[in-house]
Amino acid sequence: MPLFAPNRYKGKLIVVEGIDGSGKSTQISLLSQWLRSQGVAVAFSEWNSSPLVRETTRRGKKKEMFTPTTFSLIHATDFADRTERYILPLLKSGAIVCADRYAYTAFARDVARGVGRRWVRNLYSFAIRPSLCFYFRVSLDVAIGRILGGRNAIKYYEAGMDLKLSRDVQESFRIFQGRILDEYDAMAEEMGFHVIDATQSIEAQQQMMREIVMQELGESLKSGVLRSQGETHAAATAVTVLR
Ligand SMILES: Nc1ncnc2c1ncn2[C@@H]1O[C@H](COP(=O)(O)OP(=O)(O)O)[C@@H](O)[C@H]1O
Ligand SMILES: [Mg+2]
């Protein structure tokens, strides 16, 4: 079974991956602003954001009802919904879709929660192959420091508390995120990630991302993808309707 479905459309899909606190959201947000400033039509898609499964996820999490397999299936449902209603139509329209986490998040996290590697990869075989995937590599200590700098409570599932790794939330979080980090590192080469040293300054990382985007997608950016004059409006309207 092939890992992903080919992207047969004009649009491009740019993905960021890495553990919590690695700086993904910061970088993809800067990159999309820059792409917009180049006159390209850009859209955004976040992990676990589909309205279809929001309520189920909320209720299931509250009552701690999820097993690793049901949790994995819920995320895949969210992903399928976003793919069909949002990502695919935007790629068809020629937009650049920036995704904050993609199927690799499930490959890393669900496996860290005990789900089979082959099973979860098979589950996502309908996903469109990204044009580019950036992996923000950072040590556990740096990531935890950044997360705890921003807020003080780590959530139950975020810490993998359901896996009973430790009764202490911070300790559980460390073990769980460590497993996820190992999975990402093991995937990096196989999946062709562009590995970014996420301990560098925000500016240095952003510069590197832009260079890679220009190298890999530069020609398409000039003429292949949807330009924003007038047309962005159409894409933006389509997105609003589709959401
Ligand atoms: N290169 C960096 N150096 C220091 N702090 C950073 C860097 N990149 C991001 N941060 C900070 O770390 C925190 C987590 O960043 P964020 O982009 O939300 O990470 P993620 O989306 O991967 O969880 C934020 O407070 C952010 O401002
Ligand atoms: Mg984020």
Side-chain angles (χ1 to χ4, degrees):
M1 179 71 99
L3 189 56
F4 292 127
N7 175 4
R8 302 187 194 285
Y9 311 106
K10 272 192 308 174
K12 304 285 174 200
L13 178 59
I14 301 177
V15 169
V16 289
E17 288 283 359
I19 57 173
D20 289 335
S22 58
K24 300 178 296 297
S25 302
T26 304
Q27 294 297 334
I28 197 71
S29 153
L30 290 170
L31 188 79
S32 59
Q33 279 171 31
W34 173 71
L35 286 167
R36 280 194 191 102
S37 77
Q38 307 288 305
V40 171
V42 183
F44 222 76
S45 189
E46 260 183 284
W47 186 250
N48 211 13
S49 59
S50 146
L52 184 72
V53 297
R54 194 169 294 151
E55 188 55 17
T56 313
T57 309
R58 197 185 63 78
R59 292 218 304 251
K61 277 187 174 173
K62 205 166 159 191
K63 297 190 177 152
E64 293 164 21
M65 284 163 68
F66 292 129
T67 67
T69 307
T70 52
F71 211 13
S72 182
L73 288 167
I74 288 273
H75 282 127
T77 306
D78 168 83
F79 191 94
D81 187 50
R82 281 187 299 121
T83 299
E84 282 177 19
R85 289 177 195 272
Y86 189 77
I87 297 175
L88 265 175
L90 281 159
L91 290 176
K92 281 182 190 168
S93 79
I96 298 240
V97 179
C98 292
D100 192 339
R101 297 186 172 281
Y102 201 64
Y104 309 105
T105 285
F107 298 170
R109 204 190 269 171
D110 294 354
V111 169
R113 306 180 90 256
V115 172
R117 257 185 211 94
R118 276 178 56 142
W119 186 86
V120 68
R121 287 181 188 195
N122 194 33
L123 188 60
Y124 282 85
S125 56
F126 65 88
I128 303 289
R129 180 182 306 283
S131 318
L132 278 179
C133 177
F134 293 96
Y135 167 43
F136 295 88
R137 185 186 270 151
V138 75
S139 72
L140 215 46
D141 284 331
V142 171
I144 291 172
R146 285 182 191 167
I147 292 168
L148 295 181
R151 62 195 159 101
N152 40 30
I154 300 173
K155 293 179 201 144
Y156 184 88
Y157 281 103
E158 203 174 38
M161 287 300 280
D162 58 312
L163 303 175
K164 313 289 179 214
L165 301 166
S166 166
R167 274 191 229 166
D168 179 63
V169 180
Q170 273 213 36
E171 179 60 17
S172 175
F173 182 82
R174 178 174 282 279
I175 300 170
F176 182 49
Q177 296 290 323
R179 285 189 187 175
I180 296 176
L181 190 57
D182 290 344
E183 286 299 320
Y184 272 127
D185 281 343
M187 267 190 291
E189 199 177 335
E190 176 195 357
M191 302 294 182
F193 291 163
H194 290 274
V195 181
I196 305 284
D197 172 1
T199 58
Q200 289 181 297
S201 72
I202 291 175
E203 294 74 19
Q205 293 180 57
Q206 184 59 208
Q207 188 55 39
M208 183 152 294
M209 277 182 95
R210 292 179 189 181
E211 279 168 20
I212 294 170
V213 167
M214 285 313 285
Q215 227 169 55
E216 305 276 329
L217 307 177
E219 283 307 307
S220 314
L221 293 187
K222 279 189 216 142
S223 58
V225 297
L226 188 63
R227 308 292 302 176
S228 48
Q229 284 123 350
E231 283 158 314
T232 333
H233 186 66
T237 311
V239 170
T240 318
V241 171
L242 290 162
R243 272 194 149 158

